[in-house]
């Protein structure tokens, strides 16, 4: 915790009160949430920073896309456009944001929309043909103008919301009590060998309610890196120096992973969702071989010649009980389909 954040500690009770009161106004119906007559799954977190929302959204897409018409909706963080945009594969990051473009590039048969007004975004998506039958809302846990039918709350293994306080000294967007709205809580970015005893210890810390299923997941790195339609095995770059470029909230896992493989690289870290400047692009073009995250690849690839920049695919995998997670999601969707 830096000095400035410590100095802002007196503001914490004010922030806590404002966000607590806002939630109560929604809970008591003073502020109106709009519910919908079709399945909506909201994915989000209590904390600022990366908890693995994109891998979770992609997991849900893979789970549902072959059995129903599926759409995702994000706000399109840091895009330069306004209002509703239906994401196309030839869109730019400045138009729609990096993560929505990533979803559309990977899952071309899924509707992907962005809109800072989630109600309008839902209306626009539902007017499409064929009509989406289920919607995944990305980063929408605090967006209470929309009442989703099912909430998935993510919390990082290394930064549990139970160990944190609200902004500006802590990282929580709202008080920990907000976790009670979740149907499912997923602890993300866990070690793959997380024991049952460790899982039980975390469960006690989170104090999840009886109605809330708790799951543990980790990030799996593919054994290949990708550039457009080309792939290269990780084993083929052993002994080949490269530059790792990251613009994500927490690059430590990928840095640790590559270090564990004995790869030779230097690391250039930028802030989450970083918009690369012309000067930065010129500097990066001097690097002969760059590997980046999939999200950052969406931003960087248009500036580089083919096979200069590659990205590391990642997927979310459950440590145990993935079948139970899948069944809960499918049960919710099928029982609320119209």
């Amino acid at each position: 915790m830096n000095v400035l954040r410590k100095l802002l500690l007196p503001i914490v009770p004010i922030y806590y009160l404002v966000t607590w009161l806002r939630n109560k106004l929604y809970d008591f119906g003073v502020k109106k949430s709009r519910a919908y007559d079709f399945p909506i799954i909201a994915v989000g977190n209590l904390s600022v920073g990366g908890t693995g929302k994109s891998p979770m959204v992609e997991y849900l897409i893979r789970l549902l896309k072959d059995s129903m018409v599926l759409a995702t909706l994000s706000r399109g963080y840091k895009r330069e456009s306004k209002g509703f945009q239906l994401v196309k594969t030839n869109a730019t990051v400045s138009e729609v944001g990096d993560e929505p473009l990533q979803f559309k590039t990977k899952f071309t048969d899924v509707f992907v929309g962005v809109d800072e007004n989630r109600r309008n975004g839902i209306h626009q998506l539902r007017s499409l043909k064929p009509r989406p039958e289920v919607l995944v809302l990305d980063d929408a846990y605090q967006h209470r103008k929309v009442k989703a039918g099912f909430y998935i709350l993510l919390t990082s293994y290394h930064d549990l919301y139970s160990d944190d306080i609200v902004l500006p000294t802590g990282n929580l967007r709202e008080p920990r009590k907000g976790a009670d709205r979740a149907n499912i809580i997923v602890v993300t970015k866990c070690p793959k060998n997380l024991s049952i005893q460790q899982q039980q210890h975390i469960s006690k810390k989170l104090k999840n309610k009886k109605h809330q299923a708790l799951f543990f997941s980790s990030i799996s790195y593919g054994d290949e890196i990708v550039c457009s339609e080309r792939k290269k095995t990780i084993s083929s770059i052993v002994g080949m120096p490269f530059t790792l470029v990251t613009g994500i909230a927490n690059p430590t896992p990928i840095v640790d992973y590559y270090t564990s493989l004995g790869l030779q690289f230097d690391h250039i870290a930028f802030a989450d969702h970083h918009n690369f400047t012309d000067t930065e692009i010129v500097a990066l073009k001097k690097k002969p071989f760059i590997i980046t995250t999939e999200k950052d690849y969406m931003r960087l690839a248009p500036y580089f010649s083919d096979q200069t920049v590659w990205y590391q695919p990642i997927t979310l995998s459950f440590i145990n009980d993935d079948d139970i997670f899948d069944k809960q999601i499918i049960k919710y969707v099928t029982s609320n389909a119209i």
Side-chain angles (χ1 to χ4, degrees):
M1 187 185 301
N2 61 40
V3 174
L4 178 58
R5 282 193 148 198
K6 290 181 178 179
L7 292 175
L8 292 174
L9 184 60
I11 301 177
V12 167
I14 300 173
Y15 186 94
Y16 183 102
L17 180 61
V18 169
T19 53
W20 176 86
L21 180 60
R22 175 181 179 271
N23 278 327
K24 287 300 180 184
L25 291 176
Y26 277 109
D27 292 342
F28 294 137
V30 178
K31 294 177 73 71
K32 300 299 181 183
S33 295
R34 180 172 178 181
Y36 293 82
D37 61 354
F38 73 104
I40 297 180
I41 302 170
V43 176
N45 50 24
L46 296 187
S47 306
V48 297
T51 55
K53 292 185 293 295
S54 293
M56 173 56 74
V57 170
E58 291 190 359
Y59 184 96
L60 294 171
I61 291 174
R62 291 187 181 94
L63 178 65
L64 300 171
K65 69 181 181 64
D66 293 333
S67 58
M68 57 199 65
V69 181
L70 179 64
T72 72
L73 179 63
S74 310
R75 59 174 167 162
Y77 184 61
K78 284 196 174 182
R79 65 187 170 114
E80 296 175 6
S81 62
K82 298 292 183 183
F84 178 77
Q85 301 283 330
L86 183 64
V87 181
K88 306 291 187 180
T89 54
N90 61 352
T92 64
V93 169
S94 63
E95 292 172 334
V96 300
D98 49 17
E99 289 164 340
L101 182 57
Q102 175 182 322
F103 298 153
K104 186 61 182 180
T105 302
K106 188 175 291 184
F107 306 102
T108 57
D109 54 344
V110 171
F111 290 122
V112 178
V114 295
D115 200 330
E116 62 273 18
N117 183 330
R118 303 299 176 96
R119 288 183 181 179
N120 182 65
I122 294 172
H123 172 75
Q124 296 291 339
L125 286 169
R126 288 281 281 174
S127 67
L128 298 173
K129 302 296 181 182
R131 194 180 196 185
E133 299 170 303
V134 60
L135 175 64
V136 177
L137 287 178
D138 180 29
D139 196 13
Y141 199 80
Q142 284 78 34
H143 196 91
R144 300 202 61 187
K145 288 184 179 180
V146 169
K147 183 176 177 59
F150 199 93
Y151 286 89
I152 300 176
L153 177 64
L154 309 181
T155 185
S156 175
Y157 170 80
H158 294 288
D159 190 20
L160 299 172
Y161 62 76
S162 57
D163 298 333
D164 207 349
I165 61 174
V166 298
L167 294 162
T169 300
N171 287 319
L172 297 187
R173 298 172 174 178
E174 60 174 300
R176 292 181 293 234
K177 184 70 175 174
D180 291 353
R181 299 196 302 276
N183 299 89
I184 282 176
I185 299 173
V186 181
V187 182
T188 61
K189 304 181 180 180
C190 297
K192 292 182 182 296
N193 60 351
L194 189 70
S195 68
I196 296 298
Q197 291 75 22
Q198 290 171 311
Q199 294 177 34
Q200 292 172 343
H201 175 70
I202 292 172
S203 178
K204 290 179 180 179
K205 293 182 70 173
L206 295 180
K207 299 178 181 178
N208 53 299
K209 306 300 182 183
K210 290 183 178 179
H211 71 278
Q212 296 176 312
L214 178 63
F215 297 90
F216 298 85
S217 70
S218 62
I219 293 296
S220 295
Y221 294 93
D223 57 5
E224 297 175 319
I225 55 174
V226 180
C227 173
S228 186
E229 299 298 320
R230 297 177 175 84
K231 296 181 180 180
K232 188 191 297 284
T233 62
I234 294 290
S235 59
S236 71
I237 65 172
V238 174
M240 184 186 303
F242 64 89
T243 300
L244 175 64
V245 177
T246 60
I248 55 178
N250 180 18
T252 301
I254 190 170
V255 171
D256 289 347
Y257 175 66
Y258 280 171
T259 301
S260 71
L261 296 178
L263 301 182
Q264 300 175 32
F265 64 96
D266 62 288
H267 178 212
I268 303 177
F270 296 92
D272 197 17
H273 296 278
H274 179 71
N275 285 317
F276 295 94
T277 66
D278 292 341
T279 301
E280 290 165 346
I281 294 296
V282 169
L284 289 175
K285 282 187 174 181
K286 296 177 182 178
K287 306 292 184 181
F289 182 23
I290 293 173
I291 300 179
T292 188
T293 69
E294 191 168 2
K295 180 171 69 174
D296 293 312
Y297 182 82
M298 297 294 120
R299 296 179 179 277
L300 289 172
Y303 298 102
F304 289 81
S305 59
D306 193 27
Q307 299 193 62
T308 303
V309 178
W310 300 71
Y311 71 84
Q312 172 67 65
I314 63 172
T315 56
L316 178 147
S317 59
F318 287 94
I319 292 175
N320 47 267
D321 297 334
D322 55 323
D323 57 330
I324 298 176
F325 178 91
D326 294 355
K327 287 177 181 177
Q328 288 201 25
I329 298 299
I330 292 170
K331 179 180 179 181
Y332 162 70
V333 169
T334 54
S335 61
N336 288 275
I338 57 172

